[in-house]
Amino acid sequence: MDYLPVFLNLRGRLVLIVGGGEVALRKARLLHEAGARLRVVAPRIAPEFTDLTADLHRRPAQVDDLAPDVDLVVLATDAPKVQAALQAAARARRIWCNRCDEPAASDVVTGSVCDRSPILAGVISSGCPGLSRLLAARFDAVISPVIVDLARLLVELRPRVKAHFPTPAARAAFWRRWTTEAVIARLEREGLATIRQELEKELASPHDRNDL
């Protein structure tokens, strides 16, 4: 396995984007959707960046832009020497780096995203973005509206599940019961209200703390 698949919680975190063109804008939009704060540094910055409430600095990037409050840096310039120098400086400061011109050299790779919140899938194919986009589109087609409804319901009930079932094994058994093809088929036939009613009934009933 070339990478460890992880999802970063960047809400409220500062991301430095070096570059102001199309690639940088695409990354900025994705990061903005994830709730990150954006600081963009480049001599020329596309006007669309103003829609992202980003902190814009129209000048060449400097090593000092890798400030202590930066949690992630995205390098999206067309100058390989600048990219390499800033990447080396970022690593020296222990700041994770996404280098758009050389994904294999990056600490973080974003890939293509299928966003059906609260369901989220990320796909990379090690340098073949077209294939990643194709696979993300296939994931999107597979995730039906009823699956999204079920996911939202289970996320809503998660605190009650944790409170009701005292052990990890009991909670795992609960999730297995309610995340099956049979449950999805019932959801399609009977609707969300019926499934919610049964879930509410189970969570309201006494639980034997000796189970599992």
Side-chain angles (χ1 to χ4, degrees), residues 17-76:
I17 300 176
V18 180
E22 181 179 345
V23 174
L25 181 60
R26 186 165 64 248
K27 296 282 187 176
R29 284 172 171 158
L30 185 64
L31 290 161
H32 178 71
E33 289 180 13
R37 295 186 295 121
L38 305 179
R39 180 178 296 159
V40 182
V41 181
R44 292 178 298 279
I45 298 176
E48 291 87 348
F49 277 94
T50 57
D51 299 332
L52 305 178
T53 61
D55 179 20
L56 306 181
H57 299 264
R58 291 180 171 83
R59 57 169 174 77
Q62 305 168 357
V63 170
D64 288 344
D65 288 316
L66 297 164
D69 59 343
V70 172
D71 294 292
L72 173 68
V73 58
V74 175
L75 302 178

Side-chain angles (χ1 to χ4, degrees), residues 83-193:
Q83 301 271 102
L86 290 173
Q87 181 182 27
R91 285 184 170 171
R93 289 163 170 76
R94 298 184 180 275
I95 301 173
W96 280 4
C97 178
N98 173 225
R99 184 170 169 176
C100 298
D101 61 334
E102 290 192 26
S106 297
D107 305 304
V108 177
V109 180
T110 54
S112 296
V113 176
C114 167
D115 183 5
R116 300 292 298 279
S117 294
I119 299 170
L120 185 66
V123 185
I124 64 170
S125 53
S126 299
C128 185
L131 181 58
S132 298
R133 286 192 292 270
L134 173 63
L135 292 173
R138 287 197 172 191
F139 284 140
D140 188 73
V142 167
I143 302 171
S144 66
V146 295
I147 294 176
V148 176
D149 287 342
L150 178 62
R152 288 173 178 162
L153 176 58
L154 294 177
V155 169
E156 175 191 335
L157 296 176
R158 184 179 179 86
R160 291 177 57 188
V161 172
K162 186 175 182 179
H164 187 71
F165 295 101
T167 66
R171 292 192 290 273
F174 172 87
W175 295 123
R176 284 195 299 270
R177 287 196 300 276
W178 289 102
T179 53
T180 66
E181 293 289 348
V183 170
I184 293 171
R186 285 193 57 204
L187 189 57
E188 291 172 339
R189 293 193 311 269
E190 303 171 30
L192 185 64

